[in-house]
Amino acid sequence: MIFIRAGTHLIQGSFPLLFVFLNQAEAQIRYSIPEEMKKSSLVGNVAQDLGLDLKRLRSGRARIVTGENIQYTELKTDKGTLVVNERIDREQLCGDVTPCSFTFEILLEKPMELHPVTIEVLDVNDNAPTFQNSHLEFEISESAALGSRFVLESADDADVGGNGLQNYILTPNDNFALKQHVNPDGSKYAEMVLQKPLDREEQPRLSLKLLAVDGGNPQRSGTVNIDVNILDANDNAPVFNQSVYKATVIENAPKGTHIVTVNASDVDSGSYGRVTFFFSKSRAGIADLFDIDEVTGRIFVARELDFEKDKKIEFRVEAKDQGGLTDSSKVEIEVIDVNDNAPVINVMSFTSPVSEDSPAGTTIGIINVKDVDSGENGQVRCTIEGGVPFKIKSNVRNYYALITDAGLDREHLSECNITVIASDAGSPPLSSKRTFYLKVSDVNDNAPIFPRSFYSALIGENNSPGISVLSVNAKDPDENQNARVSYILEEYEISGSPVSQYVSVNAENGVIRAVSSYDYEQVKELVFIVKAQDGGSPPLSSNVTVKILIQDQNDNPPQVLYPVQTGGSLVAEMVPRSADVGYLVTKVVAVDVDSGQNAWLSYKLQKATDRALFEVGLQNGEIRTIRQVTDKDAVKQRLTVIVEDNGQPSRSATVIVNVAVADSFPEVLSGFTDFTHDKEYNDNLTFYLVLALAVVSFLFVTCLVVIISVKIYRWRQSRILYHSNLPVIPYYPPRYSDTLGTGTLQHVYNYEVCRTTDSRKSDCKFGRAGSQNVLIMDPSSTGTMQRIQNEKSILDEPDSPIEVS
């Protein structure tokens, strides 16, 4: 029959002598075979019963693990079958223990699988019942009472079950009947019971035969002769004071250790009342284990007992008087286990080296640990000595897997000794050790590491190409090719150009060099990334940011932004004659594209028409009066201002500032008509003046349309204005803001319009003057002057009068 256990269900089939048990932890197979099978006899198809194919058996290196036991079976991996390897004698293997079986494991690797196999050895009737003695003698008094019992020697049949001892048969006689008994352990013994009084005078001696038969087919039997000598009357038999004696003794107790004392008494007197003690013949072999004092009934240890062989021993003790009367009592001795066996460690498999990237829980070895003691003395606990990143885990009964407790790191632990300690729970505990040497192999699991997160360096502009700026260095804790570091410049753009046009990095040593000469005014710093990459597969890398600061040199002169130096027109600042001391005339605005002290500017008055009238602020470039303006001061003042930076050596720029000292524009015009270059004609300026005139005329036409619709009575005056053909040119000064907060230039556009005929002395009607005035003198149009004032005031006040004479 086949029984397959899966969960809680039981499935029955029709395969003889095969039991298979499956669960989540292991697949257990159980076979039943008769003893004494020939070598190479088939036991079962392991591959089929386990659901494995033959390739798996071969790739997994399937093998039988028996420990220290005899390997009775052999695994044929090419066929997946289990065959008999050695003759199996059930009696030699198990004695009288039933059922008789032996267990081994089938071990597969890659991945590891462990399948316990139990072989039950079935008994065959190959042993006949035997008696230890060939004949028995009894001395029985003729006065023995009816019902008196005489224990007969038990036969020993090495077979079990139905093949074992089944029955005793006593040859027919008139005096004795046979009564059979069964011990708690299943063994059988027989007693002769006196059923008819003996008569020594009639028959002093009886010869009987006791036959022991088993239940095998064919049946086997054993015989012992019984001689009964009838003695003279002894009408009282010894009587034990207990029917059962119980005692305990520890295993390995020394020889002569007292265990228990039995006691029996006989009320007869004389020789009939003298009792002697002896072991009953019902249990052969007891005399080898124990000794009994015939007189006192004390029982001693004859040789050391082994708990692993005999846990409980039962036998009978007889008391006999001199008249031949006997009584028997049962003795039960329990053997107490002591921790006399240390655990035994057997290595099933072990892997070394192991890769450092093996995950936690990777199995590196399998061991088998056994302790033949029982109870706590046989409970084994396995530990690992020291603080190594490994642990031991029990997978299957008595089997332990040595696994990694955490991820391995070769850079911290390249090799180690793993000592496994197996200890039992006895008192005192016994233990054994086994040491495994493990080497950890390297994988590329560490990227190169820069000692700094940021590198910086300084280099002056206008450097020589190819000069070494700095070097970066990264370390990789891996070994061999995994630790070989190369340096790579990451693709990046600086000011729209690839970084490779600015710097290069040596792939071997990380030296960074300047590829070109740097210009601080174009690039003030270079920020890029260098990658360190190892030689592993796949390679690992890390980046570091490098910043190169370009130091400025004084290679740029200052640039004057205001006043603007025009080519054809003269720009003049007007100072009224009523100006007080400190009157702000204008401000020279200049910049230097250099940085630092190379861009610190100072202003100096180099030349002036009247040096006693003006001064220039050293730091801010403001031109102010240093005394009261008088009528004697010339209308036209020409100032030359030099602007210098603070570099070494310093660079400078020069600007000319024209100043008009006057209270009115006619005075200014008259003062500036004698400029030497007023007679020069400028074609470009004429074009701009005509264009400006057309624009202003368009604005006037637009204003006239609005004015006509609002006030018709002004139409004639507006008409005259339209046909005047006088140039009106607006001038918008640059809107510069003083970065130091001391500037005097306003951020609104102002203008004033003055009209005149060609006569210089014609009267003009001027609008309200602004706080700051700028004049533009055009030598090609001496009769036209334009003054700038608030444009919005004219557009918003159409009723303001404009007089022309």
Side-chain angles (χ1 to χ4, degrees):
M1 303 294 288
I2 176 170
F3 296 86
I4 302 176
R5 186 177 300 275
T8 59
H9 301 284
L10 189 66
I11 304 171
Q12 181 170 337
S14 59
F15 298 95
L17 307 179
L18 171 64
F19 297 85
V20 182
F21 296 91
L22 301 175
N23 56 43
Q24 294 180 355
E26 60 186 20
Q28 179 172 331
I29 307 175
R30 186 180 183 91
Y31 296 103
S32 294
I33 61 173
E35 64 176 327
E36 306 294 342
M37 291 182 67
K38 294 182 180 180
K39 187 175 181 179
S40 300
S41 297
L42 176 65
V43 177
N45 192 322
V46 173
Q48 177 180 342
D49 297 334
L50 290 178
L52 302 173
D53 57 24
L54 299 180
K55 292 183 179 179
R56 173 66 181 124
L57 293 177
R58 290 191 292 270
S59 64
R61 297 172 57 195
R63 60 187 183 274
I64 292 176
V65 180
T66 62
E68 299 177 352
N69 299 326
I70 300 174
Q71 185 170 332
Y72 289 106
T73 58
E74 179 183 4
L75 178 63
K76 300 291 187 180
T77 56
D78 56 340
K79 300 179 180 179
T81 58
L82 196 66
V83 299
V84 175
N85 186 48
E86 292 287 343
R87 171 183 172 271
I88 303 175
D89 186 352
R90 193 206 65 80
E91 289 73 29
Q92 181 182 356
L93 179 64
C94 300
D96 57 356
V97 177
T98 183
C100 176
S101 63
F102 62 93
T103 303
F104 56 89
E105 288 82 20
I106 296 179
L107 181 65
L108 291 89
E109 298 180 355
K110 300 177 182 178
M112 190 194 79
E113 294 182 39
L114 191 66
H115 301 283
V117 178
T118 300
I119 305 294
E120 182 181 359
V121 181
L122 302 179
D123 184 50
V124 296
N125 193 24
D126 58 342
N127 292 281
T130 59
F131 292 91
Q132 186 175 7
N133 299 303
S134 59
H135 79 278
L136 303 175
E137 279 193 16
F138 289 91
E139 294 180 348
I140 304 175
S141 175
E142 63 178 347
S143 61
L146 295 179
S148 296
R149 296 174 299 170
F150 304 90
V151 179
L152 300 177
E153 179 181 337
S154 297
D156 185 20
D157 193 340
D159 296 325
V160 295
N163 294 326
L165 178 65
Q166 298 294 319
N167 198 13
Y168 290 96
I169 301 174
L170 186 64
T171 56
N173 66 91
D174 297 331
N175 300 100
F176 296 94
L178 188 67
K179 187 175 184 179
Q180 301 186 52
H181 301 276
V182 180
N183 289 316
D185 61 355
S187 62
K188 297 179 180 181
Y189 69 96
E191 294 179 331
M192 290 191 310
V193 180
L194 185 61
Q195 62 180 1
K196 180 181 178 181
L198 297 174
D199 187 358
R200 183 178 179 279
E201 287 70 25
E202 181 180 351
Q203 191 176 13
R205 184 181 182 88
L206 293 176
S207 294
L208 306 174
K209 286 185 180 293
L210 179 64
L211 182 67
V213 295
D214 60 21
N217 186 14
Q219 192 177 56
R220 294 175 180 269
S221 64
T223 304
V224 63
N225 295 319
I226 303 175
D227 293 331
V228 179
N229 294 320
I230 302 174
L231 302 178
D232 196 12
N234 180 23
D235 54 356
N236 290 288
V239 177
F240 280 97
N241 59 356
Q242 293 179 219
S243 61
V244 178
Y245 291 88
K246 294 183 177 182
T248 59
V249 62
I250 62 173
E251 68 170 328
N252 302 324
K255 183 179 180 181
T257 299
H258 173 253
I259 301 175
V260 68
T261 301
V262 297
N263 187 26
S265 61
D266 193 328
V267 295
D268 289 330
S269 62
S271 62
Y272 291 132
R274 195 166 53 244
V275 178
T276 57
F277 300 94
F278 57 92
F279 293 123
S280 173
K281 300 178 179 63
S282 62
R283 183 72 183 270
I286 292 299
D288 296 336
L289 300 177
F290 305 103
D291 289 330
I292 188 170
D293 191 315
E294 294 183 353
V295 177
T296 62
R298 292 167 60 88
I299 300 176
F300 303 93
V301 174
R303 63 180 177 87
E304 288 187 354
L305 302 176
D306 189 355
F307 173 84
E308 286 69 43
K309 293 182 179 179
D310 298 299
K311 297 177 176 57
K312 188 176 182 180
I313 304 174
E314 296 180 357
F315 56 90
R316 300 189 70 81
V317 176
E318 293 187 14
K320 179 181 179 182
D321 61 17
Q322 298 301 312
L325 299 180
T326 62
D327 190 17
S328 66
S329 179
K330 184 179 181 180
V331 178
E332 295 180 357
I333 298 177
E334 182 180 357
V335 181
I336 300 175
D337 182 43
V338 296
N339 192 26
D340 57 343
N341 292 282
V344 177
I345 301 175
N346 297 309
V347 181
M348 300 293 100
S349 65
F350 182 72
T351 302
S352 179
V354 63
S355 177
E356 67 170 323
D357 62 349
S358 300
T362 299
T363 300
I364 62 172
I366 301 173
I367 62 174
N368 173 258
V369 182
K370 290 184 178 180
D371 193 323
V372 295
D373 291 324
S374 64
E376 292 185 352
N377 296 330
Q379 294 178 2
V380 178
R381 183 172 65 93
C382 289
T383 58
I384 295 179
E385 187 177 58
V388 292
F390 302 94
K391 66 180 180 180
I392 195 164
K393 181 180 179 182
S394 177
N395 286 339
V396 189
R397 182 188 69 257
N398 299 329
Y399 283 86
Y400 297 84
L402 188 60
I403 62 178
T404 56
D405 191 25
L408 301 178
D409 188 355
R410 187 207 62 81
E411 289 69 40
H412 292 86
L413 184 69
S414 59
E415 59 183 21
C416 68
N417 287 324
I418 306 171
T419 301
V420 176
I421 302 175
S423 57
D424 58 30
S427 180
L430 299 179
S431 62
S432 57
K433 293 183 178 181
R434 189 69 178 261
T435 300
F436 302 87
Y437 172 75
L438 180 70
K439 183 174 178 61
V440 181
S441 60
D442 184 53
V443 297
N444 191 28
D445 58 345
N446 290 279
I449 300 174
F450 288 97
R452 296 157 57 183
S453 60
F454 182 81
Y455 285 86
S456 63
L458 298 175
I459 184 173
E461 67 173 329
N462 304 319
N463 58 286
S464 299
I467 188 173
S468 173
V469 182
L470 78 160
S471 64
V472 296
N473 186 27
K475 299 294 184 182
D476 194 319
D478 291 324
E479 64 179 359
N480 300 329
Q481 187 67 20
N482 294 333
R484 183 177 179 180
V485 180
S486 300
Y487 301 92
I488 303 170
L489 188 64
E490 290 281 38
E491 293 294 333
Y492 189 70
E493 286 191 358
I494 299 177
S495 298
S497 299
V499 68
S500 57
Q501 294 186 4
Y502 294 91
V503 294
S504 65
V505 61
N506 188 296
E508 297 294 331
N509 54 28
V511 174
I512 298 175
R513 298 181 180 275
V515 173
S516 60
S517 179
Y518 302 142
D519 185 357
Y520 175 83
E521 286 69 43
Q522 294 182 0
V523 180
K524 294 179 172 55
E525 64 179 16
L526 302 175
V527 180
F528 53 91
I529 295 175
V530 175
K531 179 172 72 174
Q533 179 174 290
D534 60 27
S537 180
L540 299 179
S541 63
S542 61
N543 297 336
V544 69
T545 301
V546 179
K547 183 176 183 179
I548 299 177
L549 298 175
I550 301 173
Q551 291 180 311
D552 183 48
Q553 294 182 352
N554 193 27
D555 57 347
N556 290 282
Q559 298 178 5
V560 177
L561 302 179
Y562 187 81
V564 179
Q565 302 296 290
T566 61
S569 301
L570 296 177
V571 179
E573 305 289 344
M574 193 177 77
V575 178
R577 294 188 179 274
S578 60
D580 295 330
V581 177
Y583 178 83
L584 178 61
V585 178
T586 188
K587 178 177 181 179
V588 177
V589 179
V591 295
D592 193 323
V593 295
D594 292 325
S595 65
Q597 67 178 8
N598 294 330
W600 296 351
L601 301 180
S602 59
Y603 303 85
K604 296 178 182 178
L605 186 60
Q606 187 179 37
K607 292 191 300 181
T609 303
D610 187 351
R611 297 186 65 90
L613 181 58
F614 303 99
E615 68 175 358
V616 179
L618 181 62
Q619 303 298 330
N620 55 25
E622 293 180 350
I623 300 176
R624 295 180 180 270
T625 59
I626 56 177
R627 64 174 176 81
Q628 184 71 39
V629 180
T630 65
D631 295 338
K632 296 180 181 181
D633 292 324
V635 174
K636 183 179 67 173
Q637 298 286 336
R638 186 182 180 89
L639 308 178
T640 302
V641 179
I642 185 170
V643 184
E644 292 183 339
D645 58 28
N646 198 35
Q648 294 295 331
S650 64
R651 294 177 176 267
S652 63
T654 303
V655 61
I656 298 175
V657 180
N658 295 314
V659 179
V661 180
D663 289 329
S664 61
F665 286 110
E667 185 179 356
V668 173
L669 293 175
S670 63
F672 276 82
T673 52
D674 53 353
F675 275 17
T676 58
H677 59 278
D678 286 347
K679 300 299 182 179
E680 298 177 0
Y681 185 83
N682 191 313
D683 293 337
N684 291 334
L685 183 59
T686 301
F687 171 76
Y688 291 129
L689 289 175
V690 173
L691 180 60
L693 179 60
V695 173
V696 173
S697 299
F698 175 76
L699 294 175
F700 277 164
V701 170
T702 303
C703 292
L704 288 176
V705 173
V706 176
I707 293 172
I708 290 173
S709 63
V710 178
K711 295 181 181 181
I712 298 179
Y713 68 93
R714 297 297 301 273
W715 178 83
R716 185 176 179 83
Q717 294 180 352
S718 300
R719 188 69 174 175
I720 296 173
L721 180 62
Y722 180 78
H723 291 287
S724 64
N725 293 326
L726 296 177
V728 180
I729 303 174
Y731 171 72
Y732 299 90
R735 300 181 63 187
Y736 292 106
S737 62
D738 187 3
T739 57
L740 299 176
T742 59
T744 60
L745 299 180
Q746 298 184 356
H747 299 290
V748 297
Y749 298 135
N750 299 321
Y751 68 85
E752 292 181 353
V753 179
C754 174
R755 295 182 178 86
T756 181
T757 61
D758 291 339
S759 175
R760 293 182 182 177
K761 297 182 179 181
S762 300
D763 295 330
C764 298
K765 182 66 177 180
F766 295 94
R768 179 169 52 88
S771 61
Q772 184 85 12
N773 301 313
V774 180
L775 295 179
I776 297 180
M777 306 305 296
D778 189 349
S780 65
S781 179
T782 59
T784 303
M785 181 180 69
Q786 171 184 324
R787 190 172 185 189
I788 303 171
Q789 197 177 10
N790 195 334
E791 177 184 2
K792 184 178 180 182
S793 62
I794 295 179
L795 297 177
D796 293 344
E797 299 178 6
D799 295 338
S800 300
I802 302 176
E803 297 182 4
V804 181
S805 60

